[in-house]
Amino acid sequence: MNDADVSKQIQQMVRFIRQEAEEKANEISVSAEEEFNIEKLQLVEAEKRKIRQEYERKEKQVEIRRKIEYSMQLNASRIKVLQAQDDLVNSMKEAASKELLRVSNDSKAYKKLLKGLMVQSLLRLKEPSVLLRCREVDRKLVESVLNEAKQEYADKANVHAPKITVDNVYLPPPPTDNEIHGTFWHGVRDFTFLSSGGVVLASQDGKIVCENTLDARLDVAFRQKLPEIRKRLFGKMEA
């Protein structure tokens, strides 16, 4: 083999090696590009998931806040409704209290009522000796029916007539006309300092007390009838 043939063969080998190298380089380049694209796609998907999760988290927060705000508004509305209902019920009681103040204006009817309250209290106490407390303005009326009340109780209970002592400490007085208008029109009535009448009887040792004032009876009747009053006023609206 001469030099020309050797040179030709070497060039062929060089071309073959170069071609093989180029092909290998292309394979590496393609493989690298594919790996890059896969990794890029994975990063993009990861970021998308992260964004979706963040969006869902914020969406849940918005929904929770919306529910909380709705609940607060609903509760506030319910409170307003309940307050309005209470105001209406209380206004009815105030109106009834105002009417009680007129009971003692009819002396004859009030005298009969006082006797009945005294007999009822004696029947509850069943004591041989009791202390009676009334308004100072009612003392004469009370004393005028005292013996009748004692005898009526004795006949009903089949016992001896009890001893009744009228206390010198009195129940609160009735309100004046100015107090009536000033108190009721402002929606407040102080039961501590005003009295519509009636009596309070107690055992001599003070351990047993029967409060039979008109105000106390109104309170009892109102508490007992309150569910019925609310049902009639508000029906199914009442929670």
Side-chain angles (χ1 to χ4, degrees):
M1 183 180 292
N2 56 30
D3 292 341
D5 292 335
V6 171
S7 177
K8 185 177 179 182
Q9 191 173 6
I10 290 172
Q11 287 177 356
Q12 288 177 346
M13 291 176 64
V14 169
R15 282 196 301 273
F16 176 76
I17 292 170
R18 183 177 293 169
Q19 183 179 353
E20 191 176 46
E22 288 175 353
E23 290 176 355
K24 192 66 175 176
N26 286 334
E27 289 178 4
I28 293 172
S29 177
V30 171
S31 177
E33 187 173 356
E34 287 178 353
E35 289 179 0
F36 170 75
N37 288 333
I38 291 172
E39 186 175 353
K40 182 175 71 173
L41 183 62
Q42 289 175 342
L43 289 172
V44 169
E45 288 300 321
E47 285 300 316
K48 285 182 180 180
R49 283 195 302 271
K50 186 177 179 181
I51 292 171
R52 280 196 298 268
Q53 289 172 353
E54 181 66 15
Y55 173 78
E56 289 171 358
R57 184 183 68 82
K58 290 184 177 180
E59 189 177 33
K60 287 179 180 178
Q61 287 180 340
V62 170
E63 181 65 16
I64 290 171
R65 283 197 297 269
R66 188 190 67 80
K67 288 181 178 179
I68 291 174
E69 289 174 0
Y70 173 77
S71 179
M72 290 175 65
Q73 291 175 357
L74 185 62
N75 287 337
S77 298
R78 285 175 176 169
I79 290 171
K80 287 182 179 179
V81 170
L82 292 174
Q83 184 61 55
Q85 291 178 356
D86 286 342
D87 290 343
L88 179 58
V89 170
N90 288 333
S91 69
M92 291 180 62
K93 186 178 180 183
E94 296 301 333
S97 297
K98 187 176 180 181
E99 288 300 317
L100 280 182
L101 296 172
R102 297 191 175 96
V103 171
S104 60
N105 291 341
D106 186 340
S107 179
K108 185 178 179 180
Y110 185 52
K111 181 179 178 179
K112 183 179 179 180
L113 176 61
L114 283 174
K115 188 183 81 168
L117 293 174
M118 290 162 62
V119 173
Q120 186 182 64
S121 300
L122 289 169
L123 288 169
R124 288 181 182 177
L125 291 176
K126 291 183 171 61
E127 291 286 318
S129 179
V130 299
L131 187 67
L132 182 149
R133 184 173 293 179
C134 62
R135 300 186 303 183
E136 187 174 8
V137 294
D138 294 338
R139 182 168 186 131
K140 288 183 179 180
L141 276 178
V142 167
E143 290 175 340
S144 69
V145 295
L146 200 58
N147 290 330
E148 293 180 26
K150 288 161 61 175
Q151 191 56 50
E152 184 176 334
Y153 160 71
D155 293 341
K156 287 184 176 181
N158 195 23
V159 296
H160 293 295
K163 177 184 177 183
I164 301 179
T165 304
V166 180
D167 198 352
N168 289 323
V169 177
Y170 300 104
L171 296 178
T176 64
D177 289 339
N178 289 336
E179 286 173 331
I180 291 173
H181 293 293
T183 336
F184 281 100
W185 295 152
H186 289 84
V188 178
R189 185 170 193 267
D190 193 335
F191 290 94
T192 304
F193 301 108
L194 302 177
S195 174
S196 299
V199 293
V200 175
L201 272 69
S203 58
Q204 286 294 334
D205 57 9
K207 292 182 178 179
I208 307 174
V209 178
C210 178
E211 187 175 0
N212 226 354
T213 63
L214 301 186
D215 298 313
R217 291 177 70 90
L218 174 63
D219 286 340
V220 171
F222 195 79
R223 284 197 300 270
Q224 291 175 345
K225 292 292 184 180
L226 187 57
E228 183 180 343
I229 291 172
R230 287 186 173 276
K231 185 177 180 180
R232 284 179 176 272
L233 286 175
F234 313 120
K236 294 182 180 180
M237 289 176 62
E238 181 72 3

